[in-house]
């Protein structure tokens, strides 16, 4: 009799941890109001991976959209938008390796729905991306931005969980090449979204930042990760308040979501106004181990708003009869001179 034995206790323990992370990943994906995907850049957009959010956006279960099944994602795209989607995607990939598209799909119930897709090309010429419901965007752009921020915040947490899972799998029967490919795909998801995503540990040190965050701060990731966020990128006059808000979130006093508008300082010492949505990151024991922030740069929008308000104040005081409207003939501005000339107040005339 001869035999070989091996202590598999570490593998068993790792398996339990893997299952825990996998369950958490599925939980996060179930709460993402959108679709994560990896597909071929072919006529069908053949899906190799698509998250469970597909059913909310398309009406089809993710399983029915995988591979060479009866339902291809290409057929979901509205027939009037298919050529434009293909042409715009091809041109954007050739120039930048990434794309952002607004188009219509036809859901399983026959409903026409607007979606917005962020996508990019990875090493094997496949596409990875995120598809979000953009119905609100056609009715109200501000609400659309808020919805996208919520989705991107959930997306970032799901991606970080996927990356943690991959780190554990490194000790399993997965080659280094496949592991690197999977990690690159996870980073692609983070880089696709159009807002800054930054993860801080309990000390305020930066653990992760996506491409948009690097653009806003004007530095590459290797010069950002590891630095203290509050000491490096928050204006001195705001540091005390921002740090207090951060500590309150760690201790659970600030609720589950912290929304605020505050400035960051980039590499050129220029302040940028960011609209933030911050959420705590919890470990398996429910302990807060850090904070994940999702932020949109609203600097230019705020400057434009202030300029428009100033111009409206100036025009509103002139005695000349100044009226402006849109292409459909709706009145958008009704000055005091127009009120005096025609006898209608602004509330009566506008629109």
């Amino acid at each position: 009799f001869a035999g070989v034995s091996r202590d598999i206790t570490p593998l068993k323990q790792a398996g339990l941890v893997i299952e825990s992370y996998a369950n958490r990943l599925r939980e996060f994906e179930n709460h993402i109001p959108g679709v994560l995907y990896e597909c071929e850049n072919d006529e069908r957009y053949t899906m190799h991976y698509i998250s469970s959010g597909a059913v909310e956006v398309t009406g089809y279960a993710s399983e029915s959209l995988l591979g060479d099944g009866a339902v291809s994602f290409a057929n979901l795209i509205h027939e009037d938008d298919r050529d434009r989607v293909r042409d715009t995607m091809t041109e954007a990939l050739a120039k930048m390796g990434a794309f952002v598209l607004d188009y219509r799909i036809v859901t399983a119930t026959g409903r026409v729905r607007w979606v917005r897709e962020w996508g990019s090309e990875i090493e094997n010429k496949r596409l990875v991306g995120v598809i979000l419901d953009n119905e609100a965007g056609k009715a109200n752009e501000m609400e659309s931005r808020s919805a996208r921020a919520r989705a991107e915040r959930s997306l970032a947490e799901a991606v970080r969980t996927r990356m943690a899972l991959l780190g554990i799998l490194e000790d399993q029967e997965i080659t280094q090449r496949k592991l690197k490919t999977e990690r690159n795909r996870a980073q692609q998801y983070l880089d696709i979204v159009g807002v800054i995503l930054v993860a801080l540990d309990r000390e305020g040190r930066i653990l992760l930042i996506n491409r948009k965050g690097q653009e806003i701060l004007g530095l590459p990731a290797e010069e950002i990760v590891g630095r203290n966020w509050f000491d490096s990128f928050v204006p001195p006059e705001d540091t005390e308040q921002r740090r207090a808000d951060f500590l309150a979130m760690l201790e659970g006093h600030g609720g589950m979501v912290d929304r605020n508008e505050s400035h960051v300082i980039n590499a050129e010492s220029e302040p940028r106004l960011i609209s933030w949505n911050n959420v705590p990151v919890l470990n398996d024991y429910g302990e807060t181990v850090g904070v994940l922030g999702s932020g949109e740069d609203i600097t230019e929008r705020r400057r434009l708003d202030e300029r428009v308000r100033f111009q409206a104040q100036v025009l509103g005081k002139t005695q000349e009869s100044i009226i402006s409207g849109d292409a459909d003939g709706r009145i958008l501005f009704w000055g005091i001179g127009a009120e005096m000339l025609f006898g209608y107040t602004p509330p009566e005339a506008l629109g």
Side-chain angles (χ1 to χ4, degrees):
F1 177 83
V4 177
S5 64
R6 178 187 179 192
D7 183 0
I8 63 170
T9 303
L11 293 178
K12 280 287 188 180
Q13 293 173 339
L16 293 175
V17 178
I18 291 169
E19 184 178 359
S20 173
Y21 272 101
N23 288 337
R24 194 194 315 176
L25 176 60
R26 284 191 291 269
E27 180 183 349
F28 281 130
E29 288 183 345
N30 288 337
H31 288 84
I32 294 174
V35 183
L36 282 67
Y37 71 84
E38 178 182 340
C39 73
E40 296 288 345
N41 189 4
D42 58 14
E43 291 183 358
R44 290 176 54 89
Y45 301 117
T46 303
M47 293 289 173
H48 294 278
Y49 166 77
I50 188 165
S51 66
S52 58
V55 69
E56 294 294 330
V57 175
T58 70
Y60 293 96
S62 55
E63 294 82 3
S64 65
L65 294 167
L66 289 172
D68 296 325
V71 182
S72 72
F73 192 84
N75 287 338
L76 301 188
I77 300 174
H78 194 286
E79 60 181 358
D80 292 341
D81 293 348
R82 289 174 190 169
D83 290 342
R84 175 178 60 83
V85 167
R86 170 58 68 183
D87 294 344
T88 304
M89 179 191 300
T90 301
E91 182 180 357
L93 287 173
K95 290 181 178 179
M96 301 175 292
F99 58 88
V100 180
L101 294 168
D102 289 319
Y103 58 89
R104 292 166 293 177
I105 63 171
V106 180
T107 70
T109 61
R111 174 188 173 189
V112 176
R113 165 176 281 177
W114 280 95
V115 296
R116 171 163 293 183
E117 177 178 354
W118 289 266
S120 67
E121 193 173 64
I122 56 178
E123 294 175 351
N124 54 12
K125 301 300 181 181
R126 290 180 181 175
L127 304 176
V128 295
V130 184
I131 301 171
L132 302 178
D133 178 14
N134 198 35
E135 287 288 278
K138 295 302 171 181
N140 187 317
E141 187 63 25
M142 292 294 291
E143 280 299 316
S144 175
R145 277 194 289 266
S146 175
R148 289 199 299 273
R150 291 194 299 272
E152 288 157 352
R153 191 168 62 249
S154 299
L155 164 65
E157 184 65 14
V159 170
R160 291 186 65 236
T161 303
R162 182 180 292 276
M163 294 176 75
L165 173 60
L166 291 169
I168 295 170
L169 289 174
E170 193 167 5
D171 293 329
Q172 307 298 307
E173 296 176 2
I174 290 184
T175 64
Q176 291 295 323
R177 180 174 179 82
K178 184 175 180 181
L179 183 64
K180 180 181 178 181
T181 299
E182 290 292 322
R183 282 179 172 159
N184 287 344
R185 181 173 67 176
Q187 188 63 47
Q188 290 275 356
Y189 286 134
L190 288 174
D191 289 338
I192 286 169
V193 295
V195 297
I196 178 175
L197 293 170
V198 58
L200 308 180
D201 67 11
R202 288 186 63 89
E203 305 302 319
R205 288 186 295 263
I206 301 166
L207 300 176
L208 173 150
I209 190 162
N210 70 338
R211 183 179 299 156
K212 187 65 175 180
Q214 297 168 49
E215 292 175 2
I216 291 174
L217 297 179
L219 292 170
E222 54 267 25
E223 294 185 32
I224 297 174
V225 173
R227 295 170 67 173
N228 185 281
W229 175 261
F230 303 99
D231 295 338
S232 301
F233 301 110
V234 176
E237 63 272 19
D238 296 342
T239 300
E240 183 177 354
Q241 182 60 55
R242 297 280 74 82
R243 197 186 298 273
D245 294 341
F246 174 75
L247 293 175
M249 176 160 282
L250 292 181
E251 299 304 321
H253 302 315
M256 289 302 293
V257 180
D258 169 41
R259 296 184 177 88
N260 68 79
E261 293 182 2
S262 59
H263 287 92
V264 299
I265 299 294
N266 64 16
E268 303 298 324
S269 299
E270 176 191 13
R272 305 295 299 181
L273 182 61
I274 309 296
S275 176
W276 288 105
N277 288 274
N278 302 315
V279 294
V281 178
L282 308 179
N283 63 16
D284 288 335
Y285 303 101
E287 301 166 334
T288 304
V289 296
V291 170
L292 184 69
S294 165
E296 180 185 7
D297 187 344
I298 59 172
T299 307
E300 302 307 326
R301 190 200 318 161
R302 186 56 53 83
R303 289 173 180 169
L304 178 61
D305 289 344
E306 293 174 353
R307 189 179 304 121
V308 169
R309 281 196 296 270
F310 174 76
Q311 291 174 345
Q313 290 175 354
V314 172
L315 291 174
K317 294 177 180 178
T318 181
Q319 299 298 310
E320 298 294 332
S321 178
I322 299 177
I323 303 170
S324 68
D326 61 17
D328 296 323
R330 288 188 294 266
I331 298 173
L332 302 178
F333 180 83
W334 186 264
I336 190 171
E339 180 179 355
M340 295 173 63
L341 178 63
F342 296 102
Y344 293 101
T345 64
E348 294 171 328
L350 293 177

